[in-house]
Amino acid sequence: MMSILDNHLAVLGILFLLGLITDVIGRKTHLPRVTLLLVFGLLVGPSGLALLPPFTQDWFPLVTNIALLMVGFLLGEKLAGRFLKENGREVLIISSVVTLITAIIVFIGMWLLNSGLIFALLVAGVATATDPAAVSEVVKEAKAKGKIIQVLLGVVAIDDAWGLLLFSFILVLCQSVSGNPQILDIVMHALWDLGGAFVIGALLGIPMAFLTGRIKSGEPTLIEALGMVFLCGGIAQWLNVSYLLAAIVMGATVANLAHHHTRPFHAIEEIEWPFMVLFFILAGASFDVSELANIGVLGVAYLILRILGRLIGSWLGGKPFAFIPQQSMWIGLSLLPQAGVALGLALLAKQHFPEIGESLLQLTIAGTIVFEIIGPIFTRIGIGRMYKGDY
């Protein structure tokens, strides 16, 4: 007789109920739902009790795309004109300084540990990546508001854009140092990845902004919003550009041009959580804990250096503004979660430098496991320290 865990619908139901349990546990323990879901996934995945059937591995890529597209679109709303007028300077300066300082501190530390110049540069580039899904979900769960929280969400929205730009520059630098003649290809790829995402997001966002809201709210608006968000992601993947950045640009375009209402964003928010439950549980299940055994001295150093980079970078970036120093530092520590973008950068580096790429990938995977589990906890604590409210 077939096991209940061989039935797709039953497994979906169980995973959704696990998400419900995290709400209860989260209220009792004050642990972020993201961390609880990741730990649940780790426990029931191949590295734990191996309870999840193999077919759930096929779900992960699609669920990841859907979840990150929704997150990107909703983050784009945080870059509306009114927000940029009030907080744009803070967001641009803090995000760029955090990215740059994180890369510099990680590079210096890894280089002093004799990891090799190119390896240290590539690790520094990977360290700049953040998991926007984890950060935005913790903020949503905490129900925190205020200027400093809006700045954090703005930083999250453009953090990976700075990271992609810096990593592309680092790749060019590494190719130059190693004497590899593929520099022009890397530059063109970077321009295509970033520029293409901006163009796709804007080209789809403009008609969406003017056409949306012409039908009644409710299910029609939800279908309209999902259709545009998924179309944006599909075109971005088809053209091999950053679909996360494209979704952010589309969301920002709609937020800035559709002044008459914000219904598409509310529609996405209403159905986002079930997909996030699946995403974080399956992400936890995808972790291979055995990778932690390979982390070594360089891996531990990477963890410490990245935390220091976030801490010092946000403190320096926040100095020109009226934030308390502790508030600025907690912005950086709230950016610790790290997931798919970091792994994507490591895989890209492996393509160009296969001789050190495997070591870099192992270090990135181990770091991702640690930061994805402990990162949301720091984000939750950081929100409390920044917001200084009762949530």
Side-chain angles (χ1 to χ4, degrees):
M1 182 176 176
M2 182 177 68
S3 166
I4 189 67
L5 292 179
D6 292 326
N7 185 282
H8 289 60
L9 292 176
V11 171
L12 269 177
I14 291 170
L15 293 182
F16 284 139
L17 290 174
L18 281 175
L20 184 61
I21 292 171
T22 61
D23 280 325
V24 178
I25 298 176
R27 293 192 197 102
K28 299 290 185 182
T29 63
H30 298 292
L31 286 172
R33 292 183 297 187
V34 172
T35 298
L36 293 171
L37 289 170
L38 288 165
V39 171
F40 269 133
L42 188 60
L43 288 176
V44 300
S47 292
L49 301 175
L51 297 179
L52 285 180
F55 60 74
T56 57
Q57 297 176 10
D58 299 330
W59 294 353
F60 189 45
L62 179 60
V63 170
T64 298
N65 293 339
I66 292 174
L68 290 182
L69 280 168
M70 290 181 173
V71 168
F73 182 68
L74 293 175
L75 282 175
E77 185 188 14
K78 309 305 178 186
L79 299 178
R82 183 173 61 83
F83 168 82
L84 291 176
K85 185 177 180 180
E86 296 175 356
N87 307 305
R89 187 164 167 261
E90 291 94 327
V91 168
L92 289 173
I93 291 178
I94 292 175
S95 61
S96 58
V97 172
V98 168
T99 299
L100 189 59
I101 295 299
T102 298
I104 290 173
I105 289 179
V106 171
F107 165 70
I108 292 175
M110 300 298 285
W111 186 54
L112 290 176
L113 288 171
N114 297 317
S115 65
L117 178 62
I118 292 179
F119 187 85
L121 283 169
L122 293 174
V123 173
V126 169
T128 62
T130 307
D131 178 10
V135 177
S136 60
E137 175 52 39
V138 174
V139 171
K140 180 180 177 182
E141 179 187 8
K143 297 182 174 65
K145 300 185 184 300
K147 181 180 178 66
I148 191 73
I149 302 300
Q150 292 302 311
V151 170
L152 171 62
L153 290 173
V155 170
V156 171
I158 65 172
D159 183 67
D160 281 335
W162 289 125
L164 288 169
L165 191 61
L166 181 61
F167 189 79
S168 300
F169 171 77
I170 287 174
L171 269 182
V172 170
L173 183 61
C174 290
Q175 294 279 19
S176 178
V177 170
S178 65
N180 196 316
Q182 299 176 356
I183 294 176
L184 182 60
D185 291 341
I186 294 175
V187 172
M188 295 303 296
H189 175 77
L191 292 175
W192 176 251
D193 196 22
L194 294 172
F198 272 94
V199 170
I200 291 170
L203 287 180
L204 290 177
I206 291 171
M208 182 180 181
F210 287 102
L211 294 175
T212 189
R214 309 303 176 191
I215 52 178
K216 63 181 181 179
S217 60
E219 290 180 353
T221 296
L222 173 59
I223 294 171
E224 169 197 6
L226 283 178
M228 292 300 294
V229 169
F230 290 170
L231 180 63
C232 176
I235 293 176
Q237 287 187 327
W238 178 51
L239 295 176
N240 196 27
V241 302
S242 172
Y243 68 88
L244 175 61
L245 186 56
I248 291 174
V249 173
M250 187 173 76
T253 304
V254 173
N256 282 287
L257 297 180
H259 302 293
H260 52 299
H261 71 94
T262 56
R263 290 209 298 264
F265 299 102
H266 297 315
I268 295 294
E269 283 176 336
E270 288 175 359
I271 66 160
E272 178 193 23
W273 178 236
F275 291 100
M276 301 305 289
V277 168
L278 291 178
F279 169 60
F280 287 117
I281 291 178
L282 294 177
S286 69
F287 292 159
D288 184 357
V289 179
S290 63
E291 294 287 350
L292 294 175
N294 303 322
I295 195 167
V297 175
L298 288 179
V300 174
Y302 168 68
L303 298 178
I304 296 172
L305 291 167
R306 185 170 183 265
I307 293 173
L308 285 175
R310 290 316 211 200
L311 185 68
I312 296 172
S314 58
W315 174 68
L316 289 174
K319 283 184 74 67
F321 310 109
F323 301 139
I324 320 172
Q326 290 86 346
Q327 285 182 316
S328 297
M329 290 189 294
W330 277 108
I331 288 179
L333 288 177
S334 297
L335 299 173
L336 286 182
Q338 192 175 45
V341 176
L343 295 176
L345 296 180
L347 288 169
L348 181 60
K350 184 180 178 181
Q351 292 176 8
H352 294 281
F353 299 93
E355 65 279 3
I356 61 174
E358 187 59 37
S359 299
L360 175 65
L361 186 59
Q362 287 183 357
L363 184 147
T364 304
I365 293 172
T368 295
I369 295 173
V370 174
F371 281 127
E372 193 69 347
I373 292 177
I374 71 168
I377 298 175
F378 277 95
T379 303
R380 181 68 180 259
I381 296 171
I383 291 170
R385 296 295 179 88
M386 289 185 289
Y387 180 46
K388 297 192 297 183
D390 181 14
Y391 59 87

